[in-house]
Amino acid sequence: WPQPVKEVVQTASVLGQTFDLRVLARMWPDHTELAVHMAVAEQADIWSTGAMQHYRFRHALLRDTAYHMQLRAQQRILHRKAATAIIEIYAQTLAAHYAELVYHYRQSEDRAHEQRYNKLAGEHAAEQYENEEAITYFSRALLLTEANDWTERIALLLQRESVYNLLGQRSAQAQDLLELRALAAMLQDEHAWQAVLLRQAYYLRVSGDYEAALGVIQEVVARATAHSDQATETKAYHAWGRILSQQGDAPAALGPL
């Protein structure tokens, strides 16, 4: 193949087996010649055209060969360009492309951006009730978060703990709560501490330890009242009523509720 065609094929290989021509065009410096190079590659049976300006490599081995022919440094550059292009092109529907951004930023070894998009991908997956995927993304985001960034770690752990709760994975949930308590104590942030205690109380309630749950909720109420945090106080009183109701004390539950 002519050198420019070879370079187009190698650039496209970074995008995967199937790719969007618009993304490739953003990555390619000479837009005027790109259509010609694409046509030459198609005539050589490198790829075929699909709907919505998408192309597909005809053989996975061909795509893999084009990708691995490149130096790692060049791959990193192209993956970063791919991520930038995706953000620009899909700005209005970016959530659907978080997984691609996670992949490209990981391959470009951009730790900060990979962390950011793992978190966003986890939130999007959780909203879609794709809970296992959400756990994977949140866990990766935590791995990429600095150990001393306590605020970010608390935020991620609260999100992952919530998904563990939905899945009924109590052991993993308890482990996250243990780490959350330790981080909240170190951070000495009252709002974070109350959020963690609320989650702890919920865990204890669904685990059937009503007395312990009640004790934690009473602590949350006391803290929220002392700090004039009406939103947390309302949540705590609601949780208090739920605990009493599950204990079979319906009349008492009406007070907190």
Side-chain angles (χ1 to χ4, degrees):
W1 312 326
Q3 185 61 26
V5 175
K6 178 181 177 181
E7 291 174 2
V8 167
V9 172
Q10 288 179 328
T11 302
S13 72
V14 169
L15 299 173
Q17 189 71 18
T18 301
F19 61 92
D20 187 333
L21 178 60
R22 295 171 299 171
V23 176
L24 179 61
R26 291 290 180 100
M27 298 169 65
W28 189 252
D30 189 354
H31 294 179
T32 58
E33 296 295 324
L34 181 59
V36 174
H37 302 328
M38 294 293 295
V40 171
E42 185 172 1
Q43 290 169 3
D45 281 338
I46 304 302
W47 47 52
S48 58
T49 57
M52 303 294 290
Q53 299 187 66
H54 280 71
Y55 284 73
R56 180 177 179 82
F57 280 91
R58 288 190 177 275
H59 304 286
L61 181 60
L62 193 155
R63 178 264 163 190
D64 292 345
T65 300
Y67 181 79
H68 291 295
M69 283 174 62
Q70 303 173 80
L71 296 174
R72 184 71 188 108
Q74 178 65 10
Q75 290 173 349
R76 287 196 297 269
I77 291 170
L78 290 176
H79 279 294
R80 174 171 276 281
K81 286 183 177 182
T84 301
I86 288 168
I87 290 170
E88 292 173 353
I89 290 168
Y90 298 115
Q92 302 304 314
T93 57
L94 197 57
H97 301 274
Y98 286 155
E100 294 170 69
L101 291 171
V102 165
Y103 168 72
H104 287 300
Y105 280 124
R106 184 168 189 172
Q107 294 304 314
S108 67
E109 299 178 17
D110 186 332
R111 187 182 180 96
H113 279 94
E114 189 197 343
Q115 192 273 353
R116 167 179 166 76
Y117 283 103
N118 267 292
K119 180 179 182 180
L120 289 171
E123 291 170 350
H124 181 64
E127 289 170 0
Q128 305 301 313
Y129 299 101
E130 297 169 351
N131 295 319
E132 294 292 351
E133 289 84 353
I135 291 295
T136 299
Y137 287 125
F138 287 140
S139 298
R140 178 65 182 170
L142 277 162
L143 188 65
L144 294 166
T145 302
E146 297 295 334
N148 60 358
D149 190 348
W150 299 337
T151 300
E152 182 68 3
R153 294 192 71 81
I154 286 173
L156 285 165
L157 282 164
L158 283 169
Q159 289 174 305
R160 188 173 71 175
E161 181 272 338
S162 180
V163 180
Y164 278 141
N165 173 64
L166 289 173
L167 292 171
Q169 296 184 13
R170 300 302 174 209
S171 178
Q173 184 183 3
Q175 188 61 42
D176 275 1
L177 286 167
L178 190 65
E179 187 174 350
L180 278 163
R181 288 181 68 99
L183 287 170
M186 289 189 291
L187 186 61
Q188 296 184 340
D189 179 275
E190 185 60 32
H191 181 73
W193 187 245
Q194 290 177 32
V196 171
L197 288 175
L198 274 173
R199 295 305 306 166
Q200 181 75 46
Y202 184 90
Y203 167 78
L204 291 167
R205 179 173 69 81
V206 297
S207 299
D209 193 345
Y210 301 126
E211 289 301 325
L214 196 57
V216 174
I217 279 298
Q218 289 168 342
E219 181 182 351
V220 176
V221 169
R223 284 176 173 271
T225 302
H227 290 83
S228 301
D229 187 344
Q230 293 184 342
T232 300
E233 187 177 354
T234 300
K235 290 179 183 178
Y237 273 123
H238 181 75
W240 191 336
R242 291 288 301 274
I243 294 166
L244 291 174
S245 179
Q246 286 190 270
Q247 282 184 305
D249 194 353
L254 293 175
L257 286 172

